Amino acid sequence: MEFTIEGLDDLVRQLEKAGQDVEKGKEEALVAGAEVMQKETKNSAPRRTGNLILNIEISPIDGEEIFVFVDNQGKAYYGHMLENGTSKMAARPFMGPAFNRSRLKISQAMANKMRQRLGWGL
């Protein structure tokens, strides 16, 4: 007995393309979530000289991780001191509260980006 399934090659190509779209979509989703976190962190950060806000950055994607961080190597070297406090200064956290406030927005931004990549609409 012999039979042929028509359209199988097309289906395989679509699945392969979907796999590529999913990988690209994951990266785009990570960036979208990080951008929401970065914006919320900048809005929450103490403003004195503006250096702290200018140095809240997004890391490159590493595997399946991305980070929003304060670049402590330059003029905003004190970012971690504000967030965690020191032996002589109480903590004035801004990143943790920003994350807690924007958790839902981050998830929504990431989900929307994946939907958009997969062509599912919003």
Side-chain angles (χ1 to χ4, degrees), residues 4-78:
T4 303
I5 300 175
E6 293 184 24
L8 189 57
D9 290 335
D10 187 42
L11 178 60
V12 168
R13 277 192 297 278
Q14 288 178 0
L15 288 172
E16 287 172 348
K17 183 181 182 303
Q20 293 169 354
D21 284 349
V22 167
E23 285 304 312
K24 183 69 175 159
K26 279 197 304 189
E27 292 176 4
E28 291 173 355
L30 285 170
V31 171
E35 287 171 347
V36 170
M37 177 63 187
Q38 181 186 38
K39 181 180 177 185
E40 189 66 33
T41 302
K42 285 183 176 189
N43 289 338
S44 299
R47 287 168 172 69
R48 190 165 166 192
T49 64
N51 287 332
L52 185 61
I53 294 166
L54 293 174
N55 287 282
I56 296 172
E57 300 179 5
I58 298 173
S59 73
I61 296 171
D62 183 16
E64 294 186 356
E65 293 182 333
I66 193 167
F67 299 94
V68 175
F69 66 98
V70 175
D71 181 6
N72 291 323
Q73 301 301 312
K75 293 183 176 184
Y77 64 90
Y78 54 88

Side-chain angles (χ1 to χ4, degrees), residues 37 40 94-106:
M37 177 63 187
E40 189 66 33
F94 57 98
M95 292 191 80
F99 175 73
N100 290 334
R101 277 192 310 275
S102 61
R103 218 181 272 208
L104 181 59
K105 289 181 192 174
I106 292 168

